[in-house]
Amino acid sequence: MRILILEDDPAIAFDLQAILEADGHEVVDSVSSLAEAYQHLDDRFDCALLDIDVIGGKSFGVAETLMERRIPFVFVSASAPSDLPQLLQRAAFVAKPFEEKVLLKTVEHAVPNLLHC
């Protein structure tokens, strides 16, 4: 799968990318701000990992745009799922600190119709 990462902590972004690539996925980009994320929404990717609190605010607008475009995404955040707006509370969610297996399984379930690498 081709995956976009929105994460403002460089160490966490690095870990996410390493985990995904070790599992055979391609990280199309790892960005740290809302502005950067919006610039990449027209890129071709199969799934996005979104931290909630990033440079420039919360990633809810990015998530809503992905929903409109039917692009799967997973929130990876220290926030609680109950902190999400009503519209996004059913989105896939991985709590930080995350376990590698939980992250990979959640990504796999978020994109059920794709053949995995």
Side-chain angles (χ1 to χ4, degrees), residues 4 12 30 43 46 57 62 74 85 90 104 108-109 117:
L4 175 70
I12 295 173
S30 180
D43 294 353
D46 305 307
V62 173
V74 176
R90 294 179 54 203
L104 292 172
E108 182 179 316
H109 289 301
C117 300

Side-chain angles (χ1 to χ4, degrees), residues 1 3 30 35 44-45 47 52-54 58 68 71 74 91 93 108 111-112:
M1 264 191 292
I3 300 174
S30 180
R44 294 182 53 90
F45 55 92
C47 182
I52 292 175
D53 293 300
V54 295
K58 297 195 182 293
E68 290 168 5
I71 299 172
V74 176
F93 192 96
E108 182 179 316
V111 191

Side-chain angles (χ1 to χ4, degrees), residues 35-113:
E36 290 175 302
Y38 281 113
Q39 290 174 356
H40 287 279
L41 288 181
D42 289 330
D43 294 353
R44 294 182 53 90
F45 55 92
D46 305 307
C47 182
L49 299 185
L50 307 176
D51 186 8
I52 292 175
D53 293 300
V54 295
I55 298 168
K58 297 195 182 293
S59 63
F60 301 147
V62 173
E64 290 172 4
T65 300
L66 294 173
M67 284 178 65
E68 290 168 5
R69 295 180 183 190
R70 292 188 161 87
I71 299 172
F73 62 91
V74 176
F75 283 115
V76 181
S77 178
S79 298
S82 61
D83 294 339
L84 297 170
Q86 183 78 24
L87 175 68
L88 299 173
Q89 287 187 0
R90 294 179 54 203
F93 192 96
V94 174
K96 291 179 184 174
F98 55 84
E99 294 180 23
E100 183 175 330
K101 288 180 183 180
V102 172
L103 175 74
L104 292 172
K105 185 168 285 297
T106 304
V107 168
E108 182 179 316
H109 289 301
V111 191
N113 298 324

